[in-house]
Amino acid sequence: MPEACTYVVFGATGNLSMTKLMPAFYHLEKHNRLTDEVKILAIGRRDWDRDEWIETVKEAVMPKARGGITDEVCDRFCSRLDYFKMDILNAQDYLKLKEHIEANNWPNNMAFYLSLGPDQFAPAVEHLGEAKLLREDSGWRRVVLEKPFGYDAESAKQLQKRLNKYLDEEQTYRIDHYLGKGMVQNLMVFRFANLMMEPLWNRNYIDHIQITHAEDKPVGTRAGYYDTSGAMRDMIQSHLLQLLALVAMEPPASMEAEALRNEKVKLLQSVRPILKKNVHNQAYRAQYAEGSVNGEQVPAYLQEPGVDKNSVTETYAALKLYIDNWRWAGVPFYIQTGKNMPKNRTIVAIRFKHPPKQFFRDSQVKKMEPNWIVFGIQPEESIRIELTAKQPGLEIMTEQTSLDATLKGDVDTSYDAYEELLLDVIKGDRSLFLRYDEVKAAWTVVDPILQAWSSETAYIDTYPSGSWGPEGAKKLFDHPEQCWRYHYTPECA
């Protein structure tokens, strides 16, 4: 059972808190994962009292609760909640916050979750430090930072310098909710708990690897943030490069936090730098235009509220990367993400090479298909292994068949990524949180692309909403027979 602590959530009235954090806390309560001495203090600017906050949380949690809400669990959960109104940019309010915590005699162990805009991370930490709320003389202090960490490599460096004045690295929890997803962790289990895969997991047998994250939604209410960020920063730098690291890293010495993070850093540092002259050969961007998604007509990105009418911010981004180490030399890694696509889907697809001699090619019209391993990350949690087998009958004719494992749990065993991550903060387990050198290495990968795109403000390619992205992205492939794979089924798009 995790130890007692005071969980202070800044930006508690915002979208992330209401749709993810509070439901996650509720489910931890439901599964008896929190000790009685865990308190949850919401920080907001609204003039609410505790009762108003509790009613607001109930309304947010009710539609998200797996298996519905029970009175007993709800009462236990609400007994943990409190609300404190303050201005996060006002230093004096932090002294009042400290007094409020001490007056209630809450646990000295404290976790501060900064569900704030990235420009507010440093001021909030500085004010916490000046109020002596980060000193560990009477208990541990941990700060959780939501993405993005910086805007590029240089801004991430400057942010880290400001944090270093008040926080040790051991106190800093840079959260990436993707790493809390069950299937993301299953990638590691599949790789390192199954000996039969290790001899095949290298350049000798793998043709290429794809990582795709597709969303069937527009930018929505995030337009103000998104138009200054774009798909490369929002998804690839912060999430999908983490998937790349888990798929391609060397086996860690142990599953301890630092051993695991050491291997991810080494992998990201092995990504071949993209030279300015190669940006257009290794990266592609586009914006969604008008179209139809899930049977409904939707506007173009430039027509969304809050978007600059001359914006060239990408809602689709694709990358081709190479990893210059012994295992992966010469193997292309293709990464793509896009909004307003036909379905929500995140998959990791590994395509293997053809056998050196295809004995059965002459006996059939169609060329034999390659083997694939496809990991469904979300919404379907699955592993699919595609093999060639003989068709029933007298003739030797082959067909593609598959071994499928669906790994999504039932109501009692399924969980949201934030549940595990919130719990890990209390436990002090940093395995699924990012170290600064890991963040720095990820920015180093994408910075040359972002710099090139920032100077190209006259034109950006478009793709119809409801399609699987721009045709031009196919130019990234090394060979004509390579193609984007969006489905768990064998057909490429």
Side-chain angles (χ1 to χ4, degrees):
M1 180 74 70
E3 56 191 310
C5 86
T6 303
Y7 231 120
V8 185
V9 181
F10 286 81
T13 61
N15 182 67
L16 174 67
S17 173
M18 304 309 289
T19 60
K20 293 293 185 181
L21 302 185
M22 295 305 144
F25 277 124
Y26 175 83
H27 287 116
L28 291 175
E29 181 73 64
K30 181 178 180 179
H31 294 292
N32 297 308
R33 301 305 301 272
L34 302 175
T35 185
D36 291 342
E37 288 74 35
V38 172
K39 303 299 180 183
I40 303 168
L41 177 60
I43 304 296
R45 301 182 67 176
R46 301 185 186 186
D47 192 15
W48 286 349
D49 59 22
R50 180 173 182 269
D51 291 337
E52 289 175 301
W53 171 241
I54 288 175
E55 289 305 312
T56 302
V57 172
K58 285 181 180 179
E59 292 176 7
V61 168
M62 195 171 297
K64 301 274 185 182
R66 297 188 299 271
I69 285 183
T70 63
D71 291 340
E72 179 188 356
V73 176
C74 189
D75 289 345
R76 289 204 320 263
F77 175 57
C78 290
S79 70
R80 301 182 186 276
L81 302 179
D82 196 9
Y83 182 84
F84 186 78
K85 177 189 174 184
M86 63 177 281
D87 180 353
I88 60 172
L89 299 179
N90 185 336
Q92 293 301 312
D93 281 1
Y94 288 79
L95 297 174
K96 296 176 184 177
L97 171 63
K98 184 180 180 183
E99 292 173 0
H100 182 78
I101 294 173
E102 291 174 347
N104 283 280
N105 199 29
W106 286 338
N108 289 324
N109 295 328
M110 297 182 198
F112 299 96
Y113 196 114
L114 304 190
S115 179
L116 304 170
D119 58 327
Q120 297 174 325
F121 290 164
V125 169
E126 288 167 351
H127 290 321
L128 285 169
E130 292 296 335
K132 297 183 172 50
L133 280 165
L134 299 179
R135 291 176 59 174
E136 296 190 302
D137 46 4
S138 59
W140 52 255
R141 302 287 193 275
R142 294 162 188 162
V143 176
V144 185
L145 302 172
E146 268 289 344
K147 74 174 183 76
F149 192 87
Y151 188 75
D152 53 20
E154 180 58 30
S155 62
K157 178 182 177 181
Q158 296 305 317
L159 173 58
Q160 186 60 37
K161 282 183 177 180
R162 293 180 67 178
L163 300 184
N164 283 344
K165 295 178 181 178
Y166 299 96
L167 282 176
D168 294 332
E169 180 65 29
E170 290 73 23
Q171 294 176 276
T172 309
Y173 288 69
R174 301 173 193 84
I175 195 168
D176 180 354
H177 71 271
Y178 252 61
L179 297 184
K181 293 182 181 294
M183 269 308 299
V184 172
Q185 295 170 56
N186 230 321
L187 282 170
M188 292 188 288
V189 174
F190 183 84
R191 282 198 59 194
F192 302 133
N194 296 294
L195 186 61
M196 66 179 181
M197 295 310 306
E198 177 57 26
L200 307 178
W201 216 258
N202 56 58
R203 68 186 187 279
N204 296 323
Y205 299 98
I206 291 179
D207 178 77
H208 73 272
I209 293 176
Q210 297 183 24
I211 300 173
T212 291
H213 173 80
E215 299 178 35
D216 64 357
K217 294 179 176 58
V219 293
T221 59
R222 300 176 69 226
Y225 157 75
Y226 198 91
D227 203 39
T228 61
S229 174
M232 184 66 74
R233 290 184 176 92
D234 187 53
M235 280 303 306
I236 292 182
Q237 186 276 337
S238 57
H239 294 317
L240 302 189
L241 287 181
Q242 288 294 313
L243 286 182
L244 170 69
L246 292 176
V247 170
M249 71 183 185
E250 294 300 312
S254 71
M255 292 309 290
E256 295 296 321
E258 294 314 305
L260 177 62
R261 299 199 296 179
N262 286 344
E263 293 304 332
K264 287 199 293 176
V265 171
K266 283 164 58 178
L267 189 284
L268 291 173
Q269 290 175 339
S270 299
V271 174
R272 184 187 303 171
I274 297 178
L275 302 177
K276 185 177 180 180
K277 65 179 182 180
N278 292 332
V279 166
H280 292 293
N281 295 325
Q282 290 189 243
Y284 201 86
R285 65 173 177 165
Q287 261 180 17
Y288 62 77
E290 295 179 355
S292 175
V293 180
N294 296 323
E296 295 185 8
Q297 286 298 121
V298 295
Y301 176 72
L302 296 182
Q303 297 170 335
E304 299 282 7
V307 173
D308 187 324
K309 300 308 177 187
N310 297 311
S311 173
V312 290
T313 297
E314 76 282 358
T315 63
Y316 172 93
L319 269 181
K320 174 170 65 177
L321 300 174
Y322 294 95
I323 297 171
D324 287 336
N325 63 16
W326 187 271
R327 183 184 293 267
W328 297 114
V331 176
F333 288 76
Y334 302 111
I335 304 174
Q336 65 167 346
T337 181
K339 289 189 174 293
N340 263 7
M341 292 179 135
K343 293 182 181 296
N344 277 325
R345 183 157 293 166
T346 304
I347 63 173
V348 176
I350 295 103
R351 176 180 153 164
F352 289 82
K353 295 180 178 180
H354 285 290
K357 183 176 181 181
Q358 296 201 39
F359 293 99
F360 308 107
R361 182 179 291 174
D362 293 338
S363 66
Q364 55 190 326
V365 175
K366 185 180 178 182
K367 182 181 177 181
M368 290 171 62
E369 297 291 337
N371 300 138
W372 288 83
I373 296 177
V374 182
F375 295 91
I377 306 297
Q378 66 175 18
E380 296 94 339
E381 297 179 7
S382 62
I383 300 175
R384 180 185 181 96
I385 301 176
E386 295 173 4
L387 306 165
T388 300
K390 176 184 174 297
Q391 292 180 3
L394 297 176
E395 302 294 329
I396 298 182
M397 298 291 288
T398 63
E399 65 179 354
Q400 197 82 343
T401 188
S402 65
L403 308 175
D404 296 280
T406 299
L407 302 173
K408 193 171 183 64
D410 56 23
V411 172
D412 293 327
T413 58
S414 62
Y415 66 93
D416 181 80
Y418 277 99
E419 295 168 39
E420 176 159 5
L421 296 171
L422 290 172
L423 204 57
D424 283 350
V425 173
I426 304 176
K427 294 176 179 177
D429 184 349
R430 301 167 69 226
S431 303
L432 302 179
F433 296 85
L434 310 186
R435 212 164 59 191
Y436 172 64
D437 53 355
E438 198 173 345
V439 174
K440 179 182 176 182
W443 277 122
T444 300
V445 172
V446 303
D447 259 6
I449 302 163
L450 294 172
Q451 291 168 10
W453 286 354
S454 67
S455 64
E456 299 168 357
T457 58
Y459 172 79
I460 185 171
D461 192 11
T462 60
Y463 59 98
S465 290
S467 71
W468 285 113
E471 285 292 315
K474 295 179 179 179
K475 74 173 189 177
L476 298 181
F477 292 114
D478 279 357
H479 305 293
E481 65 177 22
Q482 294 176 348
C483 60
W484 291 116
R485 176 157 183 167
Y486 300 97
H487 310 287
Y488 303 117
T489 51
E491 301 83 12
C492 277

